[in-house]
Amino acid sequence: MFKLSKIVVGLLFVTQSVSAAIEVREPEAATGLEQKQVVSGTDYMVAAANPYAVAAGNDILRRGGSAVDAAIAVQLVLTLVEPQSSGIGGGLFLLHYNNKDKKLITIDGRETAPKKAHENLFINAQTGKADPWIKAVVGGRSVGVPGALAALKMAHSEHGKLPWSSLFERAVSLSRNGFIVSPRLEKLLSMRINPGLTKLPSINRYFYPNGEPLKAGTVKKNPELANLLSDIAKNGIDAFYKGNNAKEIVDAVSGSIVAPGLLSLDDLASYQAKVREPICTDYRKHNVCSMAPPSSGGIAVLQILKLIERFNMNKLGVNSIDALHIISQASRLAFADRNFYITDPDFHDVPTKELLNPSYLSARSALITNKDMGKALPGDLESYRVANDDSYELPSTSHISIVDKEGNAVSLTSSIEMAFGSTVMVNGYILNNQLTDFALSATKNGAEVMNRVEPNKRPRSSMAPVMVFNENGTLSHVVGSPGGSRIINYVTKTLVAMLDWQLTPQHAIELANMTNRNDITTLEKGTELETLKGQLEKRGHQVAIKDLNSGIHAISVENEKLLGGADPRREGIVMSDLSNTNAGK
């Protein structure tokens, strides 16, 4: 079994030029590895992307709060301490499992396009072609209506136990008194991975005091965010979606010195999170569930699992050449369907049932042979005549996995898209650039692209929060990851490792990553998978070696005990009722 190399002192940072980061369009650069251990618990557990946030969630669970209560506290702190990845200026998908009622729901808090948005939003009037990503990402034009707070409030109304205002205490305190800047945040700022960091004054002043990036180990305060969060804690989400904050969002977006946007006060005031039916499929002896469209990640993960189900993955072995080849081919097929068919179901008829139909998937799986199939075509669903899109989809994302003492669970993936989002900053938080997750071109070869920009529409996403249930309906696993469209491969890897190879969450997460998005097969740099490059090439694969910067967080429920894992590739941790309560404060 592959193990990541141990850390010597702090984080081992890798070198990567800004131009390289831009060229490959990765959501966040790799910033090193940190060895981690599986964490055990008996009553409750939380796994997330930053120690401050995990400590906040764990404290809520210790006080008798629900999984939803803890998720809210975690997300609010992440807004402050992991601003490059997610926050109240972005959106999220949330799975909630009610253990008493044995019921799973999903909440769609994805951003929406402004009412004034149009299909040519990212088309250059002079060339008639879509703007290059570097122009599309930065500024107000790419900002969608943030959905995170609306979704969290909806979840709390049904499944919260502690008062809404109490969930803000840690985030407000840290914002006002300061948090210690992490090595990861310093490294990302030093790389200037998002060009807007140096172009837009407000974000530049916050992250580059005296012209230099924030330094790891220094204390950073954010009084503006503290004031806003205090207002939201007292007055509810209207303090975000209406009033002064809403006006400042609109002014910042419409008045951006780079690519002014179309967001209005009415867009913010009218935003609604949505409850959607989860999508589920059986895999071996388990029931695997995820988020329905506009998530493409959920369908793609479930498709891959069903496409490989006819193969004895356990017999093939952990990250063996045969196993990786089969998964890569299934991924090709799933991505082909994803790019063609998935969009906001409130605007177009998405063939969700057809894409998960056992007969359809059986026929698709038969296409997998011992040789690389090359570029896969989408399946032929005759009633759908659409085109592939050209969205950039660079989610700088974060995942939270939580189980509370009553057995309720949350799997939540949130995002502001590109690292540091649109770089438009308001009241101490960063606004998303999720509109670049739409297809930038409305038509291709005379056919409409389903994921095109339309007013009030939600862009397609690869976020794939997952829950797995045993044959008897009990909760087995809670898992998810950041990583742009590679999320699909990261989550699939972890599920196969836990369900087929019987690995603990930590060991499953630590396995070397392999991705194929219906293009090239990419193997994780610095791992034993590099030795498989030649064998894969003999099977027809075009192979690349590079950093694959997942951020997986998973919790397993086994014999009424909890096991948790956090990705060594980022700075997240796991805490439980057995953890030191002073950790991460």
Side-chain angles (χ1 to χ4, degrees):
M1 179 173 62
F2 166 75
K3 285 279 192 177
L4 290 166
S5 59
K6 290 186 177 180
I7 186 168
V8 180
V9 179
L11 294 176
L12 301 178
F13 293 114
V14 298
T15 302
Q16 181 175 346
S17 69
V18 175
S19 60
I22 290 173
E23 178 62 28
V24 297
R25 297 174 179 170
E26 293 300 329
E28 285 189 37
T31 53
L33 307 175
E34 184 179 5
Q35 192 72 19
K36 298 174 184 179
Q37 302 295 323
V38 64
V39 175
S40 299
T42 57
D43 289 336
Y44 55 80
M45 182 172 285
V46 53
N50 183 279
Y52 281 112
V54 174
N58 202 61
D59 182 59
I60 292 294
L61 294 172
R62 180 184 59 80
R63 291 159 52 188
S66 68
V68 164
D69 291 334
I72 295 169
V74 170
Q75 184 60 75
L76 293 173
V77 173
L78 287 176
T79 302
L80 173 71
V81 300
E82 199 198 25
Q84 75 276 8
S85 296
S86 68
I88 61 174
L92 59 81
F93 291 144
L94 184 154
L95 273 62
H96 179 266
Y97 173 64
N98 184 318
N99 187 40
K100 180 180 178 181
D101 298 336
K102 301 295 188 258
K103 183 178 181 181
L104 177 67
I105 67 161
T106 68
I107 297 178
D108 177 354
R110 184 72 164 152
E111 299 86 342
T112 55
K115 289 182 174 66
K116 295 180 181 178
H118 50 83
E119 61 183 26
N120 292 321
L121 185 65
F122 294 104
I123 300 298
N124 187 297
Q126 294 180 331
T127 65
K129 297 180 179 179
D131 277 332
W133 80 275
I134 197 168
K135 289 186 177 181
V137 166
V138 177
R141 177 176 55 163
S142 63
V143 177
V145 182
L149 278 171
L152 294 173
K153 181 61 177 176
M154 174 181 281
H156 183 261
S157 297
E158 292 294 325
H159 305 290
K161 290 180 65 178
L162 299 183
W164 171 258
S165 60
S166 69
L167 310 178
F168 287 69
E169 292 170 359
R170 188 70 66 90
V172 170
S173 176
L174 286 169
S175 298
R176 201 173 302 284
N177 299 317
F179 69 98
I180 298 174
V181 175
S182 72
R184 178 174 176 79
L185 179 54
E186 178 195 0
K187 185 65 176 181
L188 292 172
L189 290 170
S190 298
M191 295 172 67
R192 292 171 170 81
I193 192 170
N194 188 321
L197 287 169
T198 56
K199 289 184 177 182
L200 300 188
S202 61
I203 198 167
N204 187 264
R205 286 193 300 268
Y206 181 82
F207 287 113
Y208 298 88
N210 304 314
E212 295 293 327
L214 294 174
K215 301 300 181 185
T218 60
V219 176
K220 179 63 178 175
K221 299 180 180 179
N222 191 334
E224 286 186 298
L225 182 60
N227 292 338
L228 176 63
L229 292 179
S230 295
D231 194 10
I232 299 169
K234 179 180 180 181
N235 299 308
I237 62 173
D238 278 356
F240 182 88
Y241 289 100
K242 300 176 182 178
N244 290 335
N245 182 70
K247 184 178 184 302
E248 290 179 51
I249 291 176
V250 171
D251 289 346
V253 167
S254 61
S256 175
I257 62 172
V258 177
L262 302 174
L263 212 60
S264 70
L265 290 173
D266 184 54
D267 289 323
L268 289 160
S270 60
Y271 180 86
Q272 296 288 324
K274 296 191 173 188
V275 174
R276 298 192 187 275
E277 286 294 317
I279 55 171
C280 301
T281 189
D282 60 292
Y283 180 70
R284 314 295 186 197
K285 296 181 180 180
H286 295 85
N287 188 32
V288 184
C289 298
S290 189
M291 190 76 204
S295 167
S296 66
I299 286 182
V301 168
L302 299 188
Q303 277 196 322
I304 294 172
L305 292 177
K306 295 302 291 183
L307 290 167
I308 69 173
E309 191 173 26
R310 68 183 177 93
F311 300 95
N312 189 338
M313 301 302 291
N314 183 49
K315 184 177 180 180
L316 292 178
V318 177
N319 268 1
S320 66
I321 181 69
D322 289 328
L324 292 176
H325 170 75
I326 290 166
I327 293 171
S328 75
Q329 301 307 287
S331 185
R332 278 191 179 279
L333 294 165
F335 267 89
D337 281 348
R338 164 197 178 273
N339 293 346
F340 203 68
Y341 291 116
I342 307 303
T343 186
D344 185 343
D346 296 335
F347 282 72
H348 304 281
D349 186 14
V350 180
T352 303
K353 291 182 179 179
E354 291 89 335
L355 291 170
L356 294 175
N357 181 281
S359 297
Y360 172 78
L361 290 171
S362 177
R364 295 283 278 170
S365 179
L367 299 174
I368 299 174
T369 68
N370 288 328
K371 292 289 185 180
D372 181 66
M373 68 179 66
K375 193 77 168 181
L377 297 175
D380 186 12
L381 301 174
E382 292 185 359
S383 59
Y384 298 89
R385 296 300 181 197
V386 290
N388 280 307
D389 69 36
D390 55 358
S391 62
Y392 290 129
E393 196 161 359
L394 295 170
S396 187
T397 304
S398 204
H399 182 78
I400 304 166
S401 292
I402 300 175
V403 177
D404 67 25
K405 62 177 60 178
E406 295 180 357
N408 306 311
V410 165
S411 184
L412 184 160
T413 311
S414 60
S415 179
I416 58 170
E417 223 263 347
M418 174 68 178
F420 302 98
S422 66
T423 63
V424 177
M425 200 166 186
V426 179
N427 287 326
Y429 63 91
I430 301 171
L431 292 170
N432 67 87
N433 64 289
Q434 296 287 10
L435 299 190
T436 56
D437 274 1
F438 283 117
L440 305 188
S441 304
T443 61
K444 274 199 168 183
N445 301 320
E448 286 187 328
V449 177
M450 291 183 74
N451 186 40
R452 63 186 179 276
V453 181
E454 295 179 79
N456 299 316
K457 190 177 182 180
R458 299 172 192 233
R460 185 187 67 199
S461 170
S462 290
M463 295 189 294
V466 167
M467 288 191 190
V468 181
F469 300 89
N470 297 309
E471 282 183 288
N472 61 4
T474 58
L475 181 67
S476 179
H477 304 289
V478 182
V479 64
S481 179
S485 53
R486 297 187 200 271
I487 287 172
I488 293 163
N489 291 131
Y490 298 153
V491 172
T492 300
K493 173 204 79 171
T494 310
L495 291 172
V496 171
M498 293 191 297
L499 301 180
D500 285 300
W501 298 327
Q502 304 301 305
L503 301 185
T504 68
Q506 189 62 50
H507 291 152
I509 291 167
E510 288 175 353
L511 284 182
N513 287 320
M514 180 277 298
T515 68
N516 189 305
R517 299 175 289 183
N518 200 20
D519 45 26
I520 61 176
T521 298
T522 304
L523 305 177
E524 187 173 7
K525 184 179 179 181
T527 72
E528 64 183 15
L529 294 193
E530 289 190 23
T531 63
L532 301 179
K533 182 175 184 290
Q535 295 181 60
L536 287 168
E537 288 174 337
K538 287 181 179 179
R539 297 192 183 198
H541 291 252
Q542 181 184 351
V543 180
I545 306 292
K546 67 185 304 179
D547 293 307
L548 291 177
N549 185 36
S550 56
I552 307 160
H553 296 112
I555 297 173
S556 295
V557 184
E558 297 181 4
N559 300 319
E560 298 184 355
K561 292 185 178 181
L562 302 171
L563 295 176
D567 206 316
R569 302 163 183 87
R570 300 200 186 193
E571 61 190 12
I573 64 169
V574 184
M575 291 183 72
S576 74
D577 56 296
L578 302 181
S579 300
N580 179 356
T581 57
N582 291 317
K585 289 188 177 180

